[in-house]
Amino acid sequence: MPNSQQGGKPNYKDVLDITRCELIYRRKKQWDIFVWVVTILVSVISGIVVLTSKGEIKPDLVSRFAMAFALVFLTRYAIVWINENIEAEKHANEVIRKLLRDHNVEVDAIRRPSEFRFGYDRVLMLIGCAAVLSILLVSIVPGWLELVP
């Protein structure tokens, strides 16, 4: 009977497997949040451009600021949740690295989450800013679509 079933300390392979599953779960969750929010932001940009280019819909200042505020909130909320998952991923990564080092296994092949320079949060920030600017500026500058080839 393995140690983990005897009520004692679990063996390192069980801990490694559980931690690996946590790492995979956190990375998938980050990706899912990222894709969900980027889809919303790009849809808003596209929708605003299409609707205002026809000239039939011209949102008033209050509506534009309300939409912009909602998008800022959504973007910020997504960044917070992605960063929460990154912290959990870092913890799982460190547990895996420690387990492998304790068993004399090379750990340099495993990248730490902090080694990625241009991550989800920065991309979300850029797309979020583009969405807010499209809402605030697109109907203010008449004829701007005529400048786009």
Side-chain angles (χ1 to χ4, degrees):
M1 195 179 243
N3 278 345
S4 61
Q5 293 176 356
Q6 294 175 346
K9 189 175 179 183
N11 66 33
Y12 92 98
K13 288 184 181 183
D14 291 340
V15 175
L16 185 64
D17 190 45
I18 291 168
T19 310
R20 183 184 59 80
C21 289
E22 174 72 7
L23 188 79
I24 292 167
Y25 170 76
R26 294 300 173 175
R27 287 182 178 171
K28 182 182 180 327
K29 189 165 183 148
Q30 290 169 50
W31 175 251
D32 291 345
I33 294 168
F34 175 77
V35 168
W36 177 69
V37 174
V38 166
T39 301
I40 290 171
L41 294 173
V42 170
S43 298
V44 166
I45 293 170
S46 303
I48 287 293
V49 168
V50 168
L51 291 175
T52 57
S53 67
K54 294 185 179 204
E56 297 171 9
I57 296 178
K58 294 184 181 183
D60 63 347
L61 192 60
V62 174
S63 298
R64 283 187 286 168
F65 277 105
M67 288 187 288
F69 176 77
L71 291 179
V72 167
F73 181 80
L74 175 70
T75 303
R76 181 68 188 130
Y77 187 72
I79 289 170
V80 166
W81 272 108
I82 285 173
N83 285 329
E84 288 288 324
N85 282 283
I86 287 173
E87 288 303 314
E89 178 187 348
K90 285 179 186 176
H91 179 70
N93 189 304
E94 289 306 315
V95 169
I96 289 172
R97 294 173 77 82
K98 183 181 182 319
L99 282 171
L100 292 176
R101 274 194 307 269
D102 289 349
H103 289 83
N104 298 320
V105 177
E106 185 63 38
V107 294
D108 289 336
I110 302 172
R111 287 182 73 181
R112 290 185 170 98
S114 59
E115 293 176 1
F116 297 100
R117 293 187 181 160
F118 203 69
Y120 296 134
D121 54 350
R122 291 182 183 158
V123 173
L124 278 178
M125 188 74 70
L126 289 172
I127 296 173
C129 287
V132 168
L133 287 175
S134 71
I135 286 173
L136 295 177
L137 300 178
V138 86
S139 60
I140 291 175
V141 183
W144 71 275
L145 280 174
E146 297 167 6
L147 301 175
V148 179

